[in-house]
Amino acid sequence: MSCGASPRDHHPIRKKRQRLSPVLASPRRLPDFPVFIDPPDLTPWENGNNGIAGVIERDSGRPGPEITVVSLIHGNEFAGALAMDRLLREDIRPICGVMRFVFANINAFRHFQPNNPTASRFISEDLNRVWSADRLHQPSGSSEMERALELLPIIQRTDLLLDLHSMLWDSTPLYISPSTRSSIALAEMLSSREDTQFLTLTDLGHMGGSRLIEHERFISPGKSRGSVLLEAGQHWQQETVETSIRVIRLFVEKAAHLYFDTSRAEHGLTCHATVTDNIVARSASFAFTRPYKGGHIIESAGTVIATDGDDEIFTPYDHCVLIMPNLCVRRGQLAVRLARRL
Ligand SMILES: [Zn+2]
């Protein structure tokens, strides 16, 4: 199904199959993903230095924003944690204000096993779906909810947030930001160098619940607060660590400029797309017509990109960006998100 608002000039996305389309034989079980990086040794940071485990705080002693970099919201995505570990060892510090580095789901991370690398994403539930006021006010029923509540006082003080993630399937890096001006300005700031210039995506939220970047702290309009999620590349590639390092450095260097110069939020993004449709597999035989890489652009509207049982899935407009296609999707799961370049 496609959910959310679709612009009127959309072509239809799903039609009954008229003929046999060429279909990629999609694997029914996940392939083996090689792990090219070793998990970081988090011993120096596990206890934290401000009273919360896994939270390292560095205060410049000068007035300025409170900025937070988060890794390991997903326990098996440790490229961001490797980047943070390296920068902490190099003694990275904020120019003004307070900087915090958060290693979020350390419990899940501890269960990482290279021969089953996708299993340690979380212990009982996804830590990136629990950040709505509703969920945070319910009694904690999982290891992840407990951790969210433990981290909440930090989130509630954060002016600018960078949340580090990575992707299972091969894809070009991208930023995901709430569609508030200050978050988009933050994404633009992070895209301001050639080697950190990636597509910025605004979207319909996540189907499963609120992500950390959507915590009310960051989405209330008119405040100089913002959040961005970085999808830095494939989970276990060295390049993903390097990309994370470049983006964190830029974030720490430039956050104060953004915080004090609110006129920046008036600028438009040069490389921006918005998600129009979430395509969910309705059948057990959903298959893409090619092994698409995330970030791939389909030039023409009406191109068949997948079949799903008796249906074909078409691109609804020209220059359609495929966001994180899941090449091994199961029935009921999100197969791909479609985004329109703005
Ligand atoms: Zn993630």
Side-chain angles (χ1 to χ4, degrees), residues 74 77 121 165-166:
H74 293 133
E77 299 176 11
R121 183 175 166 88
H165 289 254
S166 51

Side-chain angles (χ1 to χ4, degrees), residues 239-285:
E239 181 53 31
T240 307
V241 181
E242 304 306 326
T243 298
S244 305
I245 288 175
R246 290 199 299 272
V247 173
I248 300 170
R249 273 193 213 282
L250 195 59
F251 177 70
V252 173
E253 275 168 31
K254 297 281 181 76
H257 299 273
L258 184 70
Y259 181 76
F260 289 119
D261 178 9
T262 47
S263 66
R264 279 171 169 267
E266 304 297 321
H267 298 179
L269 268 176
T270 46
C271 191
H272 182 198
T274 190
V275 172
T276 58
D277 297 272
N278 294 326
I279 308 294
V280 172
R282 288 183 187 171
S283 76
S285 59

Side-chain angles (χ1 to χ4, degrees), residues 11-30:
H11 291 250
I13 290 180
R14 194 180 269 278
K15 281 189 245 168
K16 280 274 168 269
R17 228 195 296 193
Q18 303 294 316
R19 59 198 150 75
L20 280 181
S21 321
V23 173
L24 175 80
S26 118
R28 288 297 134 210
R29 62 177 285 276
L30 277 179

Side-chain angles (χ1 to χ4, degrees), residues 40 42 70-82 84 102-106 108-110 121 127 163-165:
L42 298 184
V70 180
S71 69
L72 290 180
I73 281 280
H74 293 133
N76 62 337
E77 299 176 11
F78 54 77
L82 276 167
M84 283 179 19
V102 175
F103 298 92
N105 203 343
I106 296 180
F109 164 73
R110 285 202 187 102
R121 183 175 166 88
L127 182 53
D163 187 14
L164 303 169
H165 289 254

